[in-house]
Amino acid sequence: MTITRRPATRWIAVLTAALVAGSLAGCTAASSTPAASTSTITLAFDSDLAPQGYDPLRYQLAQAIMYQGLYDSLATLKSDGTTGPGLATEFVYNADKTKLTLTLASGVTFTDGSSLTAALVKANLDRRSDPTLVSYSAFAKGGAAEISSVDVVDASHVSLTFAKPQAGFESNLTGVAGMIVGQKAIDNPSLLDTAPDGSGPFLLAKSTVKGSSYVLTKQKGKAEASQYAYDTYIIKPITDPQARTNAVISGQADAGFITTPTAALAKSRGLGLSQIGGTVTSMLVFDKSGKTSKAFADPNVRVALGLAINRDELVKGLHPGDLAAVNALPKASPGYSADLDTQYAYNPTKAKALLAAAGYPNGFSFTIIGSAETQTDLEAIQKYFAAIGVTMTIKLASSTQEIFAAVNTTPLGYIPLGWGNPVGTMFGVILGFANPHGEKSPALAGAAGAVAAAQTDADRKTALTQLNTTLVSSGWIIPLYEQLTTWAYNGKKVAAVTYPGQNTTPLLSSFAPAK
């Protein structure tokens, strides 16, 4: 099968983010920019960072870049990828690591005027049973890092008791999972639908237009504000990758999260590029129990769909520069397995045999929700499925709500997955958001738990390898390709974009003027 790439077709979108109307218009003129300034920086992003309001616990690492300015976390992700103190200044474990006591920073205030106390931290963490707060999924009952109780020791100390021993639990408290909201938002969570309530160094300006332009302005008197080079950060969601790249070229944005296919254009126009691997775009099986499509309840069917896809051809035709992926985990992961590349390689004959064994010798039909950004990829995959007798109807979403509802109404989705925090991805997405029917998998939950509990590199490698193998062999994930995370930047104004360790999302504080 030959794939022809549509030059003007947008190719990817994150199902967990909203489609944005009113994107910046494309412009191909070379940029002409003023000298570097610390006043304002404009960042172009691929999706709306607040589609469900401003409760940071509703989001994952990909959205953290904005919330880092509005909220403080109990622990911080440092520029080298290690964990440091945040709202909690000290972390003390008991002997068997079943209890962790946090010492809280003093003098911390929130947008609503409330102060940081042990009682407030407890009230925040006690929301972990709320299934809509996906960043708390690992802390909830049954999660790999389950917190069985949170107890106030005194005003500045709070203790967390775990269902089983946890090593290095504080790393789970970086980013959105460790962010604390103010008391008024705890008392009335609906307040977060329209405004943030954090203790971070920035405020959301009134000039913000939700879904179009988020404006963060530095607060005076916030000690951590000195870690940020700019007084104002403007974050613009631009879903079209070509328009997003053009925005940086033309100077409408100073830096932007772009796609690999547009990287060559960006480089040819004099922009700097910062790239890192680690994001595996995959088809996620939402329905493992047959509620929306009976066939998907059989693992043989799910595996057959993966065997039907010629990933090398897909990448060559639509994503040049990226890497075809059979493994669920990226190539740099200790859990990567070359054996999986062989065992689950493109094999339509074997795919047909698995379908027949599952009772579908003539295939079956189902519907997937797509968008303008995913349409070309889905049409290519549609042809691969048709070759083994499976009819996939592509329905383009008419609204943001339909995209979010797809996890409940359709059996299969198309989502880029970051694996910088495998436990967070497993419990926040695979076993959380992307598992709306609550299908149980002791093997996956156990493998994720083993990753969380690993105390040596050897233990972590073993656990990650098992997790990777189980994800692929169960058909919960159908990996497609590993994409390079790419930020383009105007080197005349902005220093090279950096990543914290192997995490694929830059820290907001890492953006700095060019020297």
Side-chain angles (χ1 to χ4, degrees):
M1 182 186 302
T2 299
I3 297 177
T4 302
R5 184 181 175 195
R6 297 178 182 173
T9 302
R10 296 167 287 184
W11 61 277
I12 194 167
V14 182
L15 284 178
T16 54
L19 290 174
V20 180
S23 296
L24 290 178
C27 177
T28 57
S31 62
S32 176
T33 59
S37 167
T38 59
S39 174
T40 301
I41 184 172
T42 299
L43 307 176
F45 210 72
D46 67 332
S47 59
D48 186 358
L49 298 183
Q52 300 180 79
Y54 298 95
D55 188 336
L57 279 306
R58 288 183 176 270
Y59 305 107
Q60 289 289 332
L61 179 62
Q63 287 85 16
I65 193 166
M66 180 171 78
Y67 294 97
Q68 289 162 0
L70 301 171
Y71 291 88
D72 291 319
S73 299
L74 290 166
T76 57
L77 180 64
K78 298 166 69 175
S79 59
D80 62 358
T82 59
T83 301
L87 290 176
T89 60
E90 189 177 14
F91 306 90
V92 178
Y93 290 89
N94 65 352
D96 61 4
K97 298 188 183 301
T98 57
K99 181 177 288 189
L100 171 63
T101 300
L102 311 179
T103 301
L104 304 179
S106 60
V108 177
T109 58
F110 293 80
T111 306
D112 63 14
S114 62
S115 298
L116 179 68
T117 64
L120 179 60
V121 172
K122 172 178 167 57
N124 271 262
L125 292 173
D126 280 349
R127 299 195 297 157
R128 62 191 181 278
S129 61
D130 184 344
T132 67
L133 304 182
V134 294
S135 281
Y136 271 166
S137 297
F139 304 163
K141 187 174 180 59
E146 179 184 343
I147 300 173
S148 54
S149 69
V150 181
D151 301 290
V152 172
V153 178
D154 56 40
S156 58
H157 294 84
V158 61
S159 67
L160 315 182
T161 301
F162 307 118
K164 54 188 176 182
Q166 296 290 333
F169 179 85
E170 61 269 26
S171 65
N172 295 305
L173 299 175
T174 63
V176 287
M179 290 180 184
I180 299 297
V181 306
Q183 187 62 54
K184 287 188 178 179
I186 290 294
D187 295 338
N188 182 8
S190 66
L191 294 175
L192 296 174
D193 292 345
T194 56
D197 184 10
S199 61
F202 289 82
L203 293 174
L204 191 68
K206 292 182 179 179
S207 56
T208 289
V209 178
K210 192 173 182 300
S212 178
S213 179
Y214 296 93
V215 182
L216 279 61
T217 58
K218 187 177 289 187
Q219 296 190 70
K220 295 180 180 179
K222 288 281 188 177
E224 67 269 35
S226 63
Q227 300 172 19
Y228 294 80
Y230 297 92
D231 297 324
T232 302
Y233 291 77
I234 300 174
I235 298 176
K236 289 184 173 292
I238 307 174
T239 59
D240 187 316
Q242 186 68 58
R244 197 161 60 251
T245 302
N246 288 337
V248 187
I249 292 172
S250 67
Q252 295 179 67
D254 303 309
F257 174 50
I258 68 170
T259 63
T260 307
T262 63
L265 171 63
K267 186 175 182 179
S268 72
R269 296 305 178 93
L271 297 180
L273 298 178
S274 291
Q275 295 182 310
I276 189 172
T279 298
V280 181
T281 293
S282 305
M283 302 195 86
L284 266 64
V285 177
F286 298 147
D287 183 2
K288 280 78 64 174
S289 53
K291 288 184 169 58
T292 64
S293 175
K294 182 180 178 181
F296 279 86
D298 193 315
N300 282 330
V301 169
R302 306 193 297 258
V303 170
L305 294 179
L307 294 171
I309 301 171
N310 188 333
R311 295 165 172 88
D312 291 331
E313 188 177 66
L314 181 73
V315 168
K316 183 178 179 180
L318 297 178
H319 306 289
D322 289 327
L323 306 171
V326 174
N327 279 248
L329 301 185
K331 278 201 168 182
S333 170
Y336 187 88
S337 170
D339 290 341
L340 293 178
D341 287 339
T342 301
Q343 187 176 356
Y344 295 94
Y346 175 56
N347 191 335
T349 300
K350 184 177 179 180
K352 290 179 180 178
L354 288 177
L355 287 179
Y360 300 95
N362 300 315
F364 62 96
S365 301
F366 71 97
T367 297
I368 191 170
I369 301 296
S371 68
E373 288 74 28
T374 61
Q375 184 177 2
T376 302
D377 274 20
L378 292 179
E379 287 175 351
I381 294 167
Q382 184 182 50
K383 293 176 182 178
Y384 292 132
F385 288 171
I388 63 169
V390 174
T391 300
M392 180 176 76
T393 299
I394 303 167
K395 182 181 184 300
L396 297 185
S398 60
S399 66
T400 297
Q401 290 72 23
E402 189 171 9
I403 288 180
F404 279 101
V407 295
N408 294 296
T409 60
T410 60
L412 194 64
Y414 181 92
I415 301 178
L417 290 171
W419 289 98
N421 178 1
V423 175
T425 298
M426 282 301 302
F427 284 90
V429 182
I430 309 302
L431 296 167
F433 168 81
N435 189 30
H437 308 296
E439 186 71 10
K440 301 296 183 183
S441 174
L444 283 175
V451 174
Q455 299 193 39
T456 67
D457 289 344
D459 289 344
R460 182 173 175 80
K461 176 178 174 60
T462 298
L464 284 170
T465 302
Q466 184 59 47
L467 175 63
N468 187 19
T469 301
T470 305
L471 282 169
V472 176
S473 64
S474 66
W476 275 50
I477 285 182
I478 303 172
L480 298 174
Y481 62 94
E482 181 178 352
Q483 65 187 77
L484 293 176
T485 296
T486 304
W487 275 80
Y489 59 93
N490 183 335
K492 295 179 181 179
K493 295 181 64 178
V494 181
V497 179
T498 60
Y499 301 93
Q502 292 301 306
N503 292 278
T504 57
T505 301
L507 299 173
L508 188 64
S509 60
S510 69
F511 290 92
K515 295 181 180 179

